[in-house]
């Protein structure tokens, strides 16, 4: 049995990053809303309290019951979690008089404090709160400060209970991972046994128990997620897995044929279904991004329902859903986090859908999926493929989608992606693609005026898709790519490059 960590979510957009950092330490963790009844506290070895958009002083602030946790299990409150404990147990939390957002440096660390073992006294941390702990309650001991935040960290006497007002989970807290390791490994004494190999073993076992001798149909896209999901299911149920690759008409150039060829030698039973006309018809006249995503999802499910009826006794629909899909689509496990956008493969199933859904990768981040894929022996070239959105080019064509616009964008995308590979840039980019804008721009070719489409190129670096920064591609590459697109793709006369980061932008434009 894996030793597990419970993360109670108070609605912070950083909660998933806490989970990812814990996983980096080879420790399994789960996120539940602070008021959930769907977990048993005795299943966990330690508890983390997340940040929150709420103030602990507000009437509608989350108010968790820590009776079964505090003093009984190792407990760490992060930001709101720390402020809640200070506020609830006799201290004082007030609106901050100084700016407590962004970078800060520790100015004091208590000597010989194991929580900060190996952490430099001037270590950079990341603050993100408008309230501050003014006075600590009785029996709360100060263990760290910054120049502006007197009570940056505390512990409770005679308990394994800690609180910090900064965010160790974000990249800008330079020793954040070390602090989490100190708490979870040295203080809570949790074994670091959650590895890709252990995930494969436990997942295959669970899949066998859950699916039994039932048949599963799975949508195979050629991407990392669906490939790893299919391989796990195949390992668990063998020939009872039926893979279907649907051409939704919104794939990259020649991808339908290439993907079918790619899986020929992987031992997977794959059927190709060309439903491009059906998808494009459903998208006619739709310009709102959410309407397009839902339309694509609707047809995706309908096609699978049709195909499942051609197979006898299929009971499950396998999907390559991963953790960021879930987090950005709905509040984590019903918690208070804000919804960013819906994903076509995590929405509600229509009433007529006869299949139950199974998602082997639902708790993994993208980098974890790749590590699991490597442990399964999947080819590195396939594992290194950039993520590609489920709705495909449908959400990279801003506005309405037509067959002609798909053709234009496929040609543009092919030039861009092939260029990245030729220049040796592909593997240094996490995700790249092109967007077709719903505007025409004036241009001149020869002596003639043109009035054609503008396209946007986008390339980002990231580890899990939760945050991303634009890639500073060489000007020479961008210049050559722009010339190739404008000269080679009929209907395009302008190329621009997107230099927005996530946040505040998202990776996709829709």
């Amino acid at each position: 049995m894996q030793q597990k960590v419970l993360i109670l979510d108070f609605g912070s957009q950083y909660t998933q990053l806490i989970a990812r950092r814990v996983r980096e330490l080879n420790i399994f963790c789960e996120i539940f809303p602070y008021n959930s009844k769907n977990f048993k506290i005795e299943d966990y070895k330690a508890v983390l309290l997340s940040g929150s958009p709420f103030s602990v002083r507000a009437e509608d602030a989350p108010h968790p019951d820590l009776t079964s946790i505090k003093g009984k299990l190792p407990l760490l409150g992060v930001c709101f979690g720390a402020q809640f404990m200070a506020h609830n147990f006799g201290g004082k939390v007030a609106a901050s008089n100084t700016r407590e957002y962004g970078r800060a440096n520790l100015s004091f660390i208590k000597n010989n404090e194991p929580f900060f073992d190996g952490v430099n006294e001037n270590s950079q941390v990341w603050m993100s709160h408008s309230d501050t702990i003014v006075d600590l309650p009785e029996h709360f001991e100060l263990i760290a400060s910054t120049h502006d935040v007197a009570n940056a960290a505390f512990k409770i006497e005679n308990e394994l209970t800690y609180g910090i007002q900064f965010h160790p989970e974000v990249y800008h807290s330079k020793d954040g991972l070390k602090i989490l390791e100190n708490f979870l490994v040295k203080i809570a004494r949790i074994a670091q046994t959650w590895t890709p190999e252990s995930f494969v073993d436990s997942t295959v076992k669970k899949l066998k128990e859950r699916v039994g001798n039932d048949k599963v149909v799975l949508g195979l896209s050629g991407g990392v997620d669906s490939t790893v999901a299919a391989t796990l299911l195949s390992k668990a149920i063998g020939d009872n897995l039926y893979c279907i690759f649907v051409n939704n008409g919104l794939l990259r150039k020649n991808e339908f044929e290439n993907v079918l060829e790619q899986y020929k030698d992987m031992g997977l039973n794959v059927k190709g279904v060309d439903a491009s006309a059906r998808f494009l018809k459903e998208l006619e006249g739709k310009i709102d991004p959410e309407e397009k995503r839902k339309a694509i999802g609707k047809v995706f499910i309908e096609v699978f329902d049709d195909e499942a009826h051609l197979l006898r006794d299929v009971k499950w629909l396998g999907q390559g859903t991963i953790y960021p899909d879930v987090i950005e689509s709905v509040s984590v496990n019903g918690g208070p986090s804000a919804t960013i956008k819906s994903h076509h493969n995590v929405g509600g199933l229509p009433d007529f859908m006869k299949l139950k859904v199974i998602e082997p990768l639902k708790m993994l981040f993208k980098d974890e999926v790749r590590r699991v894929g490597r442990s399964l022996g999947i080819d590195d070239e396939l594992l290194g493929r950039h993520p590609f959105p489920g709705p495909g080019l449908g959400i990279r064509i801003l506005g309405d989608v037509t067959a002609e616009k798909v053709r234009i964008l496929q040609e543009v995308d092919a030039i861009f992606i092939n260029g990245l590979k030729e220049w040796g840039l592909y593997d240094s980019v996490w995700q790249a693609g092109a967007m077709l804008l719903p505007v025409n721009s004036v241009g001149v070719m020869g002596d003639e005026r043109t009035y054609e489409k503008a396209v946007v190129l986008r390339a980002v670096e990231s580890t899990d898709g939760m945050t991303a920064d634009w890639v500073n591609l060489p000007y020479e590459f961008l210049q050559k790519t722009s010339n190739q697109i404008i000269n080679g793709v009929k209907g395009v006369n302008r190329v621009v490059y997107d230099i927005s980061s996530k946040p505040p932008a998202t990776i996709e434009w829709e």
Side-chain angles (χ1 to χ4, degrees):
M1 288 288 291
Q2 291 285 348
Q3 295 182 334
K4 300 190 297 185
V5 172
L6 171 64
I7 301 173
L8 293 181
D9 180 22
F10 296 96
S12 171
Q13 292 297 335
Y14 289 153
T15 303
Q16 63 272 16
L17 293 181
I18 299 176
R20 189 172 172 274
R21 293 300 183 208
V22 174
R23 303 276 188 85
E24 284 183 29
L25 294 170
N26 293 330
I27 295 172
F28 185 69
C29 61
E30 293 179 304
I31 299 174
F32 286 94
Y34 73 94
N35 55 357
S36 173
K37 306 296 184 185
N38 295 326
F39 63 85
K40 296 178 181 179
I41 195 62
E42 57 267 26
D43 291 341
Y44 300 91
K45 296 283 289 184
V47 178
L48 277 68
L49 308 179
S50 83
S52 176
F54 291 94
S55 165
V56 296
R57 299 176 295 114
E59 290 185 10
D60 59 347
H63 195 93
D65 181 3
L66 301 181
T67 305
S68 61
I69 301 172
K70 181 180 169 295
K72 299 181 174 109
L73 287 174
L75 174 64
L76 172 60
V78 176
C79 196
F80 176 91
Q83 292 173 356
F84 172 81
M85 287 192 285
H87 177 75
N88 194 57
F89 296 108
K92 180 180 179 182
V93 176
S96 176
N97 292 323
T98 58
R99 179 177 173 83
E100 295 184 5
Y101 291 93
R103 294 174 179 84
N105 292 90
L106 296 177
S107 58
F108 159 75
I109 295 176
K110 183 192 173 189
N111 289 333
N112 302 317
E113 171 51 57
F115 187 81
F116 287 107
D117 187 34
V119 177
N120 188 295
E121 189 165 280
N122 195 43
S123 181
Q124 178 179 291
V125 295
W126 187 262
M127 298 287 185
S128 182
H129 54 263
S130 55
D131 285 348
T132 195
I133 300 172
V134 177
D135 296 316
L136 289 172
E138 189 178 358
H139 304 303
F140 280 51
E141 180 182 2
L142 175 68
I143 58 173
S145 304
T146 70
H147 294 288
D148 293 325
V149 181
N151 298 302
F154 63 77
K155 65 177 293 188
I156 299 180
E157 295 174 7
N158 302 316
E159 292 184 16
L160 299 181
T161 301
Y162 293 79
I164 50 179
Q165 291 204 78
F166 57 88
H167 289 269
E169 68 273 21
V170 302
Y171 170 80
H172 297 93
S173 288
K174 297 302 183 184
D175 292 310
L177 191 62
K178 179 64 177 172
I179 290 169
L180 288 172
E181 182 181 18
N182 287 341
F183 173 71
L184 294 170
V185 179
K186 294 185 177 181
I187 295 171
R189 300 187 179 281
I190 298 174
Q192 295 171 279
T193 57
W194 195 72
T195 62
E197 292 75 18
S198 69
F199 173 82
V200 170
D201 291 343
S202 62
T203 301
V204 168
K205 181 181 177 182
K206 289 176 184 175
L207 290 172
K208 287 179 178 178
E209 292 172 352
R210 189 176 180 198
V211 177
N213 294 319
D214 292 348
K215 294 178 181 178
V216 178
V217 60
L218 178 138
L220 205 51
S221 68
V224 176
D225 302 337
S226 65
T227 301
V228 175
T231 307
L232 281 168
L233 280 162
S234 179
K235 195 174 176 69
I237 64 173
D239 292 340
N240 279 342
L241 173 66
Y242 296 83
C243 298
I244 296 173
F245 176 42
V246 176
N247 182 8
N248 59 12
L250 305 167
L251 303 174
R252 286 184 156 131
K253 185 178 179 181
N254 299 326
E255 188 167 18
F256 184 55
E257 296 79 11
N258 292 342
V259 166
L260 289 176
E261 184 69 25
Q262 191 173 28
Y263 285 105
K264 188 179 292 183
D265 299 324
M266 285 191 65
L268 297 175
N269 179 23
V270 185
K271 177 183 179 181
V273 179
D274 188 356
S276 53
R278 188 168 171 179
F279 279 88
L280 289 172
K281 181 173 177 57
E282 186 69 29
L283 285 168
E284 282 181 7
K286 292 182 172 60
I287 60 174
D288 179 80
E290 284 296 287
E291 284 188 17
K292 290 196 290 183
R293 285 178 179 273
K294 287 180 171 60
I296 293 166
K298 172 177 172 287
V299 178
F300 172 78
I301 295 296
E302 289 174 355
V303 170
F304 264 84
D305 192 59
D306 291 346
E307 291 301 319
H309 276 90
L310 300 179
L311 301 168
R312 297 194 57 169
D313 303 322
V314 172
K315 296 183 179 179
W316 297 88
L317 171 67
Q319 291 188 288
T321 309
I322 64 173
Y323 214 14
D325 295 339
V326 177
I327 292 165
E328 290 193 346
S329 298
V330 293
S331 302
V332 177
N333 286 333
S337 300
T339 297
I340 307 297
K341 60 188 176 184
S342 67
H343 284 256
H344 82 290
N345 58 341
V346 292
L349 295 174
D351 292 339
F352 65 80
M353 190 66 192
K354 305 298 191 300
L355 305 179
K356 295 176 286 185
V357 175
I358 191 159
E359 299 164 312
L361 310 178
K362 193 174 181 179
M363 293 298 290
L364 296 187
F365 293 100
K366 177 68 76 173
D367 54 326
E368 293 176 318
V369 175
R370 286 197 171 99
R371 288 200 293 271
V372 168
R374 251 173 232 112
S375 74
L376 288 166
I378 298 173
D379 187 80
D380 277 342
E381 183 179 348
L382 200 154
L383 292 176
R385 285 191 67 180
H386 291 176
F388 189 66
L393 301 181
I395 58 167
R396 292 183 176 178
I397 297 171
L398 277 65
D400 67 318
V401 178
T402 66
E404 174 62 9
K405 289 180 180 179
V406 172
R407 179 200 66 79
I408 290 173
L409 193 54
Q410 283 178 333
E411 296 289 341
V412 171
D413 178 84
I415 291 171
F416 185 32
I417 298 301
N418 290 336
L420 287 171
K421 292 177 179 178
E422 290 169 7
W423 281 61
L425 298 168
Y426 186 84
D427 291 337
S428 62
V429 171
W430 191 77
Q431 183 170 335
M435 322 293 164
L436 184 65
L437 299 184
V439 295
N440 284 17
S441 70
V442 174
V444 58
M445 292 184 182
D447 293 327
E448 295 185 6
R449 173 186 182 274
T450 62
Y451 191 55
E452 296 179 329
K453 295 294 182 186
V455 295
V456 178
L457 305 183
R458 181 140 168 81
V460 299
E461 53 188 4
S462 180
T463 53
D464 53 29
M466 301 309 303
T467 60
D469 203 1
W470 62 280
V471 178
N472 191 5
L473 295 175
Y475 285 146
E476 296 81 5
F477 168 76
L478 292 173
Q479 181 183 48
K480 182 176 180 180
T481 302
S482 175
N483 287 340
Q484 287 180 313
I485 290 171
I486 291 172
N487 291 331
V489 182
K490 184 178 179 181
V492 176
N493 69 356
R494 191 175 298 271
V495 177
V496 299
Y497 187 57
D498 183 348
I499 58 170
S500 309
S501 298
K502 176 186 180 180
T506 54
I507 294 175
E508 300 294 341
W509 276 45
E510 290 192 338

